[in-house]
Amino acid sequence: MVRAVYPGSFDPVTYGHLDIIERASRVVDEVIVAVLVNSSKKPLFSIEERVCMLRETTRYFPNVRVENFQGLTVDFAKKMGARVMVRGLRAVSDFESEMQIAQTNHSLNPEIDTMFFTTSLEYAFLSSTIVREVASYGSDVSGFVPPEVEKRLKEKYSEKSGL
Ligand code: ADP
């Protein structure tokens, strides 16, 4: 049984993340999407909201589950009995930092290997940061995120603007 952990901030989940989740779920037995309880960055969505949006949008994948975690990803993977880490590569610019993270993780725990999925071309430009930026101006993000997430983005930014 091959279990993989797919870690990230998912603030919020986008079609780019879902593409990676779907493809990973076809090659391993179980994917645990691990949402980082992030103390350094100030996320737009709370950990509960991020987990909830991921659970809603991955509910049709029987071998995908969503958890939150704190601390080192390798420790979380070990606790979950996973020996594969999944990451997505969008552009060459992702490569350097992703390689550094993968090598650090492998040296922290040599039993863990990182599996990279290159993004599908239509999502190569997509990031949670871009989505938040576009949504903050009230523009249409329906091509970037599922309807559940779009709704929450609208609510969040109308709360913020006091509407
Ligand atoms: P982090 O804060 O760790 O960068 P993200 O939530 O932004 O977390 O992303 C988690 C993972 O998903 C990273 O490996 C990132 O490269 C990948 N990813 C994000 N957006 C896309 C996309 N559009 N296509 C493919 N992979 C993506």
Side-chain angles (χ1 to χ4, degrees):
M1 157 109 180
V2 180
R3 185 175 286 142
V5 163
Y6 176 35
S9 311
F10 305 102
D11 186 33
V13 58
T14 69
Y15 282 135
H17 296 126
L18 290 169
D19 175 53
I20 301 291
I21 294 170
E22 181 176 6
R23 285 157 61 200
S25 76
R26 284 194 239 124
V27 296
V28 300
D29 298 298
E30 186 178 37
V31 179
I32 301 174
V33 183
V35 189
L36 181 62
V37 181
N38 206 334
S39 53
S40 55
K41 288 192 229 167
K42 173 96 186 71
L44 176 66
F45 290 101
S46 70
I47 186 68
E48 291 80 14
E49 290 171 317
R50 284 178 280 148
V51 166
C52 182
M53 284 185 278
L54 271 159
R55 289 203 173 129
E56 283 171 359
T57 53
T58 59
R59 65 190 180 279
Y60 298 116
F61 304 127
N63 61 340
V64 173
R65 66 184 162 114
V66 184
E67 303 290 346
N68 66 65
F69 79 106
Q70 253 170 325
L72 286 176
T73 322
V74 278
D75 294 340
F76 178 74
K78 191 172 174 192
K79 197 172 104 195
M80 292 289 124
R83 59 165 305 277
V84 174
M85 207 87 92
V86 166
R87 295 289 286 175
L89 286 177
R90 278 162 292 195
V92 183
S93 50
D94 278 342
F95 185 79
E96 206 173 315
S97 61
E98 288 295 339
M99 192 167 75
Q100 195 178 21
I101 297 169
Q103 287 170 338
T104 306
N105 286 340
H106 190 69
S107 76
L108 289 171
N109 185 343
E111 283 174 19
I112 292 188
D113 275 301
T114 301
M115 194 187 268
F116 289 106
F117 287 83
T118 50
T119 179
S120 296
L121 276 181
E122 67 261 47
Y123 305 128
F125 65 92
L126 197 51
S127 69
S128 299
T129 310
I130 294 277
V131 167
R132 292 195 303 271
E133 178 86 13
V134 173
S136 73
Y137 292 106
S139 284
D140 180 19
V141 288
S142 59
F144 308 155
V145 295
E148 297 90 329
V149 178
E150 190 188 358
K151 185 168 162 272
R152 284 187 190 248
L153 279 163
K154 277 195 186 134
E155 286 165 7
K156 190 62 87 178
Y157 284 112
S158 58
E159 261 168 40
K160 279 189 175 251
S161 63
L163 294 175

